[in-house]
Amino acid sequence: MHAGMIRAIAACLMLPSGVCSGQIITAAFASPDADRWNYPFNATPGTRESSPSFGAILIDGFDDRDSQFLVGFDTDGQVTSGLATDRYHIERVTLTAVVSNDDAFAYDDSYDAFATYLDPLDAGYVADADAGRALELFGVGFRNGVDSTTWTETGAFGGVPAVAPAQGARNAFAAEFDTLGVAADVSNNLKDAFDPTPWAIGTTSAVAPGSLVPVDTEFTFDIDLCVPGVREYLRRSLAEGRVLLTITSLQAAAGGPDGGQGVNYPVWYTRENAIAQILGFEPTLTIELRVGSAADFDGNGSLNIDDIDAFVAAFLTSDPRADIDGSCTLNIDDIDAFVTAFLAG
Ligand SMILES: [Ca+2]
Ligand SMILES: [Ca+2]
Ligand SMILES: [Ca+2]
Ligand SMILES: [Ca+2]
């Protein structure tokens, strides 16, 4: 046996878990540990067997993203929590969710700018170029003294104004983040006239864009780790042991320029749904990552010349894994970050 291989196995066996600290892990969560219809008008939003997502388009007093679906996963059982955030080298994160209503809305696989939701008489109005509205994924921000560790699926919806519809008052809200972790609520991006950057758009190969979505269609949200603030958010979440995400979409449920009527929006299976439990239609989360030193590039749990060789080979072939600093570009900063991590051990 090759001496390096013997060393590698020995290094792995020394760890209590028997798992090499730097190896690629695929953590797969078959159902959420919490999920909630994040909506101001329901008495049991945390325990319902389904959660819609829809908009109240440009109606004063309502969040534009009036009905959101918040999903949470406790990750500590598969990804060690409590480490420094730079020990989590995230390669891919995907969420899936399944639609429980039939032919109610059209599939749109691309983001629609806020201008497409304005009144057609508004000077800033731009026609929507494709049928339907995208299914969007964001992180979760908090207010009113609630935070990511204290939020529960059955807790209060929001603070002042306490009476629904309570625009801008929900305790947990769909949010984007800066790299320092400061949340920006995207729930009113139409009224506030800005375009947030969704972390993912829900996609499916089972439905043609523009066509109605049949019941039991699974959507995949493949998170773009290059959206600013996303990688940092996920690293903090793993360190905390809890990943919280929001599915939101802006089909007009009622009123507004789009004049929505009836159920023309997705309804999602939740973890409480008996059918979903049997058929595997609950939301799922999959995370591919390495845990440990960024310099343990071959993932064998120890640092040596093999890691330098492997890193250099990856860097020279523009392998995205060589993006040590997570900037989504490969340059001298990654070499610096590798060397720094290697010397730090
Ligand atoms: Ca729930
Ligand atoms: Ca559209
Ligand atoms: Ca190594
Ligand atoms: Ca980089």
Side-chain angles (χ1 to χ4, degrees):
M1 187 180 290
H2 185 274
M5 193 178 292
I6 294 171
R7 280 199 305 276
I9 292 170
C12 295
L13 292 178
M14 280 189 291
L15 293 169
S17 62
V19 174
C20 299
S21 67
Q23 77 186 50
I24 302 261
I25 300 168
T26 298
F29 304 90
S31 67
D33 295 287
D35 57 5
R36 175 187 178 116
W37 184 18
N38 191 10
Y39 175 68
F41 299 100
N42 191 269
T44 58
T47 54
R48 281 180 102 250
E49 296 199 348
S50 64
S51 168
S53 61
F54 57 75
I57 309 300
L58 296 166
I59 305 174
D60 283 342
F62 293 75
D63 284 345
D64 293 326
R65 298 175 187 268
D66 187 34
S67 171
Q68 306 177 9
F69 181 31
L70 199 165
V71 292
F73 298 84
D74 294 339
T75 51
D76 191 46
Q78 295 184 53
V79 182
T80 304
S81 64
L83 304 177
T85 53
D86 67 358
R87 308 303 270 190
Y88 301 100
H89 311 287
I90 301 169
E91 311 232 328
R92 189 171 186 197
V93 180
T94 53
L95 178 87
T96 65
V98 179
V99 169
S100 68
N101 58 339
D102 191 37
D103 288 351
F105 69 100
Y107 174 37
D108 185 345
D109 64 355
S110 62
Y111 177 80
D112 291 339
F114 81 85
T116 66
Y117 294 89
L118 300 178
D119 189 310
L121 298 177
D122 191 295
Y125 171 76
V126 175
D128 182 10
D130 49 18
R133 297 302 192 178
L135 312 171
E136 302 169 5
L137 191 74
F138 289 95
V140 182
F142 297 91
R143 61 166 67 84
N144 302 325
V146 178
D147 64 30
S148 56
T149 63
T150 59
W151 177 86
T152 65
E153 66 178 3
T154 54
F157 169 80
V160 176
V163 178
Q167 178 183 328
R170 66 184 67 214
N171 288 348
F173 50 84
E176 49 188 1
F177 287 78
D178 67 17
T179 54
L180 297 176
V182 177
D185 191 350
V186 303
S187 300
N188 288 289
N189 74 293
L190 309 183
K191 292 189 191 74
D192 295 341
F194 72 95
D195 283 310
T197 304
W199 297 7
I201 300 291
T203 60
T204 175
S205 57
V207 183
S211 297
L212 292 175
V213 174
V215 65
D216 298 345
T217 298
E218 179 180 88
F219 283 90
T220 299
F221 298 81
D222 194 352
I223 293 181
D224 183 351
L225 298 169
C226 296
V227 172
V230 170
R231 190 184 303 272
E232 292 85 353
Y233 177 93
L234 294 168
R235 285 177 147 184
R236 286 193 308 276
S237 298
L238 292 173
E240 195 173 282
R242 190 181 208 196
V243 175
L244 299 172
L245 298 165
T246 288
I247 294 173
T248 169
S249 59
L250 282 164
Q251 291 87 3
D258 282 2
Q261 287 187 334
V263 178
N264 60 353
Y265 47 80
V267 179
W268 304 96
Y269 286 107
T270 67
R271 72 190 188 107
E272 285 85 0
N273 188 292
I275 295 171
Q277 291 166 3
I278 293 167
L279 298 178
F281 291 163
E282 299 161 79
T284 74
L285 182 72
T286 305
I287 307 169
E288 296 172 24
L289 80 166
R290 286 189 299 134
V291 178
S293 169
D296 182 17
F297 204 77
D298 65 2
N300 72 348
S302 64
L303 299 181
N304 58 32
I305 189 73
D306 295 341
D307 296 302
I308 298 173
D309 289 347
F311 169 72
V312 170
F315 188 89
L316 293 177
T317 55
S318 298
D319 182 338
R321 289 190 57 227
D323 180 25
I324 300 292
D325 69 357
S327 68
C328 292
T329 57
L330 292 183
N331 57 31
I332 187 76
D333 294 340
D334 296 301
I335 298 172
D336 287 349
F338 178 82
V339 170
T340 299
F342 192 90
L343 294 176

